Amino acid sequence: MRRFVSMAALAAALAANPALAEDRTPQAFVAQAEAAYAKTSVEANQAEWVYETFITRDTEALTARAGAKMTELTVANAVAAASYAMVPGLDYDTGRKLNRMRTMIVLPAPVRSGAAEEVATIQARLQGIYGKGQGTLNGQAINGSDIEAAMGTNRNPAELKEMWTSWHDNVGKPMREDYTKLVALSNEGARELGYADVGALWRSNYDMTPEQFAALTERLWQEVKPLYDQLHCYTRGKLNERYGDAVQAGTGPIRADLLGNMWAQEWGNIYDIVAPPGAGDLGFDTTRLLADKGYDPLRMVRTAEGFFSSLGFASLPRTFWERSQFVKPRDREVVCHASAWNIDNLDDLRVKTCLKVNADDFVTIHHELGHNYYQRAYNKQPAFYQDGANDGFHEAIGDTVALSMTPGYLVRIGLLDRAPGAGKDIGLLLRQAMDKVAFLPFGLLIDRWRWQVFSGQVQPADYEKAWNDMRLQYQGVVPPSERPAGAFDPGAKYHIPAVVPYTRYFLARVLQFQFYEAACKIARWKGPLHRCNFTGSKEVGERLDAMMAMGASKPWPDALEVFTGSREISGKPMIRYFAPLTRWLEQQNRGRQCGW
Ligand code: ASP
Ligand code: SER
Ligand code: ZN
């Protein structure tokens, strides 16, 4: 990979960190940089945790300060790393760490004085706007986690439209100017580090060139797209039957607020609308089971922990239970969007969630714990390797486990009394596809939009238009309301203001089926793939741990091989999992005009 660092940036970095100017070996430089990174990242974690669990003017200022310090350090390290990387004959780890020091930065700032503070201040403000965000329902204010849940259960088109529109107007719109400024500033930073723009920097973090990575995502998308097209076609037909032409036409795109999710990213919540007659009644609904058995949020977390324990992983530390935020506090503003933390990079594991007792959040807590077990598995790696094999791996672990929450599993943990027979398989697969398959184009388009925003292909005046165009192009959905001038709908999705790259979720969606298929093979599962439940398999646990313990010390294909035996990411396991449903959907859609 070619990378040029501007001399001005190098000079500024040297001025900021005179130690760099000393004549040191690359090894000595890496050791010093790694120690400083480890220390500063803990301080940044602490400030950010307090901010996100207690949003005030003061905590916002504190996290911006800590974030700025972290950015200054990582950018200075990255600039210096670029020159050390040119030293011939580097050993493997020194070379890999020098490379990681450049590629692991998500939001760079220019080196000039004050720029890191400016970036960190904007980012904290955006995060706060999202955290405090509210919509309305029947004219009454409704907070983020409540509106998210209500979008899943409400079936009144006018109310859905009100919630969707108010959320996008209230939360997204105020971010527009700040976001534009953030793009310009971080791009300037990326260029100083030798990247074309921030998008190119993000695409450089996958042990291949940015071009190869973009091509990889396109190959995977083409593998799975036919399945999405079938699901879209079938779902649109059912929505048309349910709501009639005036609300949802039988052709063209789907109204985004009718799909059971604020962002139309996962559709499982409207399973009741699309369920096939007869085979459709699964005999259970996870949300209802949780309520019937008297689950509370803590018990959901304990149950998720139990799955990992059954694979042989040590229990979560006592401090996890003491320090996590499991439910929305009543008396203060917080960022509700779920996340998993390792504050001290050792064993101070925590989740920050606003759990509700429903099926979505039951999956989410498995997802978050997947992050925590990964973080713990690599905590003996040096700081620059304390990361997933790539970010898609990190997102995939908990989801893989959640795929194993089959009816058989629910019976095993006592949630369900009796598993439905084989006659219900189409229903079970359709329920999964509504979440897993529906997500694919969404998982892809968030960063395709950002890649174009960062590259300048989409200019600020067109941010909203490009967003809606891509939502239509990839997902085949449209907003339920005319978007007002100055709208900034991307800001209404957490990962835009929080600046979390999103292609990781697309990769994870594909990878989790690859991991799941591999786990089922290791557990010697016999039977249809979608019924496989690998709970209790110590062999799966050991293999998983072997992969996770590697952290980012080796290129990701090495890690993939350790668990699955393959070095290629592939959409084929996902296609195999859904094969019976694909045939069924094709039959249902016969005679329909699919596409939009
Ligand atoms: N951290 C998760 C996602 O953003 C939370 C969720 O599933 O809601 O990946
Ligand atoms: N957790 C991610 C999100 O909420 C992907 O499912 O968007
Ligand atoms: Zn996650």
Side-chain angles (χ1 to χ4, degrees):
M1 264 180 273
R2 290 178 312 136
R3 208 160 289 136
F4 302 102
V5 172
S6 78
M7 289 317 288
L10 189 53
L14 290 172
N17 189 353
L20 293 176
E22 288 164 19
D23 188 18
R24 277 188 300 177
T25 62
Q27 288 77 7
F29 164 68
V30 167
Q32 174 269 326
E34 195 162 39
Y37 169 81
K39 179 168 179 288
T40 309
S41 75
V42 174
E43 291 163 11
N45 288 346
Q46 289 166 332
E48 186 64 16
W49 173 270
V50 174
Y51 177 48
E52 291 192 27
T53 58
F54 186 15
I55 303 176
T56 70
R57 291 173 60 83
D58 302 325
T59 56
E60 183 175 317
L62 290 170
T63 198
R65 216 172 295 158
K69 202 174 150 209
M70 183 72 186
T71 301
E72 276 164 9
L73 177 81
T74 52
V75 167
N77 282 346
V79 171
S83 55
Y84 278 110
M86 288 181 246
V87 175
L90 292 173
D91 62 278
Y92 178 85
D93 284 314
T94 302
R96 184 164 179 83
K97 287 179 181 179
L98 287 170
N99 193 48
R100 282 189 54 76
M101 286 164 74
R102 284 170 285 157
T103 59
M104 65 200 278
I105 298 178
V106 171
L107 190 64
V111 173
R112 71 182 144 75
S113 144
E117 280 93 47
E118 203 178 342
V119 166
T121 301
I122 295 174
Q123 197 188 356
R125 191 156 61 220
L126 289 172
Q127 176 89 254
I129 295 174
Y130 191 92
K132 290 183 276 191
Q134 297 194 329
T136 66
L137 176 56
N138 295 317
Q140 302 292 311
I142 172 170
N143 71 52
S145 59
D146 287 349
I147 206 171
E148 205 176 311
M151 290 294 293
T153 51
N154 194 309
R155 299 289 179 260
N156 178 324
E159 290 177 6
L160 288 167
K161 182 175 172 175
E162 181 196 352
M163 287 192 282
W164 190 99
T165 305
S166 58
W167 179 259
H168 282 78
D169 289 354
N170 296 352
V171 178
K173 212 171 156 185
M175 297 178 185
R176 195 189 161 86
E177 269 175 45
D178 268 342
Y179 196 79
T180 307
K181 226 182 286 168
L182 194 64
V183 168
L185 272 170
S186 56
N187 264 340
E188 203 188 314
R191 283 188 206 109
E192 287 181 1
L193 295 179
Y195 296 91
D197 59 75
V198 172
L201 168 59
W202 289 5
R203 294 190 298 279
S204 296
N205 203 15
Y206 296 91
D207 299 303
M208 55 177 83
T209 66
E211 296 75 24
Q212 285 168 332
F213 181 67
L216 169 66
T217 62
E218 180 61 21
R219 168 174 71 76
L220 293 174
W221 172 230
Q222 291 307 326
E223 280 177 29
V224 294
K225 185 174 180 299
L227 185 46
Y228 180 76
D229 291 342
Q230 291 296 325
L231 187 69
H232 180 281
C233 192
Y234 173 78
T235 303
R236 182 180 61 194
K238 287 289 180 183
L239 287 170
N240 176 245
E241 279 171 29
R242 164 77 181 234
Y243 291 114
D245 287 342
V247 173
Q248 176 60 57
T251 56
I254 298 177
R255 225 179 90 168
D257 57 331
L258 303 178
L259 289 159
N261 176 281
M262 179 61 83
W263 306 275
Q265 66 182 65
E266 275 142 346
W267 307 346
N269 287 328
I270 60 156
Y271 179 72
D272 57 314
I273 296 180
V274 301
D281 171 23
L282 303 181
F284 72 91
D285 164 73
T286 307
T287 298
R288 197 162 321 140
L289 290 179
L290 291 167
D292 288 352
K293 300 280 171 179
Y295 270 60
D296 59 15
L298 209 57
R299 184 146 170 225
M300 290 162 65
V301 188
R302 291 255 178 230
T303 305
E305 181 194 34
F307 196 115
F308 286 92
S309 300
S310 87
L311 300 180
F313 289 95
S315 321
L316 292 163
R318 187 178 38 82
T319 52
F320 171 89
W321 303 99
E322 293 166 355
R323 298 173 190 170
S324 287
Q325 175 196 298
F326 296 115
V327 295
K328 188 178 193 312
R330 273 176 302 175
D331 55 352
R332 59 184 198 263
E333 302 282 8
V334 302
V335 175
C336 269
H337 188 91
S339 51
W341 304 59
N342 187 0
I343 299 281
D344 65 357
N345 301 326
L346 284 170
D347 213 34
D348 191 350
L349 305 170
R350 307 180 195 178
V351 292
K352 181 189 61 58
T353 58
C354 297
L355 288 177
K356 293 186 183 291
V357 182
N358 64 34
D360 272 358
D361 282 3
F362 198 41
V363 171
T364 295
I365 192 59
H366 286 79
H367 173 96
E368 300 307 338
L369 290 197
H371 288 306
N372 286 138
Y373 285 97
Y374 209 153
Q375 288 158 347
R376 184 156 72 180
Y378 58 57
N379 72 2
K380 293 189 187 58
Q381 291 285 349
F384 285 147
Y385 289 159
Q386 292 195 9
D387 210 343
N390 70 39
D391 52 8
F393 281 60
H394 226 305
E395 298 301 336
I397 302 301
D399 285 12
T400 303
V401 162
L403 280 178
S404 211
M405 281 202 274
T406 57
Y409 171 73
L410 299 179
V411 170
R412 181 183 160 132
I413 62 170
L415 252 184
L416 182 63
D417 296 330
R418 200 161 10 95
K424 306 290 190 191
D425 274 15
I426 289 300
L428 288 167
L429 280 167
L430 181 58
R431 175 67 181 78
Q432 279 288 29
M434 293 294 281
D435 278 342
K436 300 295 179 181
V437 176
F439 181 79
L440 291 162
F442 185 80
L444 194 67
L445 81 84
I446 302 284
D447 277 355
R448 289 209 170 172
W449 178 81
R450 276 191 292 207
W451 292 351
Q452 294 190 9
V453 162
F454 284 124
S455 77
Q457 191 180 331
V458 169
Q459 287 291 312
D462 293 324
Y463 282 176
E464 176 71 9
K465 182 182 181 314
W467 174 264
N468 287 313
D469 287 352
M470 291 174 87
R471 295 263 280 166
L472 177 60
Q473 179 193 346
Y474 287 96
Q475 291 185 278
V477 303
V478 284
S481 51
E482 196 62 47
R483 305 311 298 130
F488 184 61
D489 291 353
K493 173 66 192 165
Y494 170 76
H495 303 72
I496 300 292
V499 198
V500 179
Y502 210 80
T503 309
R504 57 182 64 177
Y505 301 106
F506 174 76
L507 295 177
R509 216 35 80 115
V510 171
L511 264 176
Q512 63 192 253
F513 287 92
Q514 226 175 328
F515 289 156
Y516 178 69
E517 192 180 58
C520 295
K521 203 165 148 210
I522 295 168
R524 286 178 285 278
W525 169 257
K526 304 251 173 330
L529 186 54
H530 62 274
R531 290 224 170 209
C532 158
N533 153 27
F534 57 82
T535 352
S537 170
K538 300 285 184 287
E539 280 164 286
V540 170
E542 276 163 30
R543 282 274 283 276
L544 195 56
D545 189 54
M547 174 176 80
M548 295 197 303
M550 293 166 73
S553 62
K554 295 279 163 0
W556 63 259
D558 291 18
L560 187 62
E561 193 170 16
V562 165
F563 190 66
T564 69
S566 164
R567 300 181 61 80
E568 294 271 340
I569 296 193
S570 165
K572 298 213 169 61
M574 185 173 196
I575 298 293
R576 279 195 283 275
Y577 178 102
F578 286 112
L581 178 72
T582 308
R583 283 190 294 276
W584 184 86
L585 285 172
E586 283 165 0
Q587 276 168 16
Q588 303 301 307
N589 291 332
R590 206 167 285 158
R592 280 200 183 119
Q593 212 196 328
C594 292
W596 53 87

